Amino acid sequence: MTLRPLVADDLDALVALDAATNPHPWSAGLWRDALVRDHGVGLLDDDGQLIGFTVSSRVLDEAELQLIAVSPARQRRGLGRLLLNTLLSELRGDGLARLLLEVRAGNTGAQALYAGCGGDVVGRRKGYYDHGREDALLYTFTLGGDAQ
Ligand SMILES: CC(C)(COP(=O)(O)OP(=O)(O)OC[C@H]1O[C@@H](n2cnc3c(N)ncnc32)[C@H](O)[C@@H]1OP(=O)(O)O)[C@@H](O)C(=O)NCCC(=O)NCCS
């Protein structure tokens, strides 16, 4: 199993994995944009099969996690934790101060992952998802760096 950056040949598999794990998947165009603009996409590859990914961005000393997903058939085997811990180590190594993310209030599985990896709930955005129907919880991971 390897963690590696996104290349053009991954786009179809990435669109399919996003569609299988995300209630509001990105369009193929958005994924193509992420490739062209070199957005922070990290892939988990098992012998040529895409089984997980993270998408994150950085501004000054803060990073934001936009997406994290593991193939439904491979969930609950520690792969989400591997992806998140790998990202946290990279950000820490680059001296960033914190990682932020928003998660649906009803997504208790992802919240358990975040809490287990050291995330703290620091806010709640009322009605943030689905035109007011679901709140977002805001998580912060303190990394300790001071990159500018
Ligand atoms: C969230 C997600 C990435 C977790 O990936 P995963 O590989 O299944 O997670 P892991 O196996 O590494 O789980 C690590 C820990 O997180 C918690 N956890 C993960 N999924 C859970 C679930 N469905 N229910 C309860 N706890 C869960 C557990 O504490 C777990 O440890 P344990 O298995 O030893 O009990 C995966 O469920 C997924 O892709 N979901 C759909 C996309 C999504 O919701 N992304 C987050 C919002 S962008």
Side-chain angles (χ1 to χ4, degrees):
M1 210 171 306
T2 50
L3 281 154
R4 62 172 180 81
L6 173 65
V7 295
D9 280 354
D10 294 314
L11 282 176
D12 288 349
L14 197 47
V15 168
L17 182 50
D18 186 33
T21 52
N22 184 349
H24 297 286
W26 288 12
S27 65
L30 263 182
W31 281 115
R32 214 168 295 118
D33 222 43
L35 172 71
V36 172
R37 291 172 196 268
D38 195 21
H39 286 186
V41 182
L43 300 184
L44 189 57
D45 178 319
D46 186 17
D47 208 13
Q49 196 189 354
L50 177 63
I51 56 171
F53 63 83
T54 55
V55 181
S56 60
S57 58
R58 300 177 181 203
V59 178
L60 299 177
D61 65 346
E62 281 188 355
E64 187 179 350
L65 181 65
Q66 270 108 33
L67 293 175
I68 179 168
V70 170
S71 166
R74 308 292 286 267
Q75 291 178 5
R76 290 312 289 271
R77 298 180 197 185
L79 299 177
R81 187 187 290 126
L82 172 70
L83 278 166
L84 182 54
N85 279 333
T86 301
L87 176 64
L88 289 168
S89 302
E90 280 174 14
L91 297 172
R92 210 172 274 122
D94 289 346
L96 274 79
R98 60 204 143 257
L99 172 71
L100 309 174
L101 62 84
E102 278 134 12
V103 59
R104 288 172 180 269
N107 192 348
T108 53
Q111 288 165 41
L113 169 66
Y114 303 148
C117 289
D120 296 313
V121 179
V122 293
R124 185 177 192 107
R125 293 188 168 144
K126 282 249 161 238
Y128 186 74
Y129 293 108
D130 298 336
H131 307 288
R133 280 195 282 274
E134 187 167 8
D135 294 353
L137 297 182
L138 182 62
Y139 275 76
T140 296
F141 297 76
T142 302
L143 304 170
D146 59 359
Q148 287 293 317

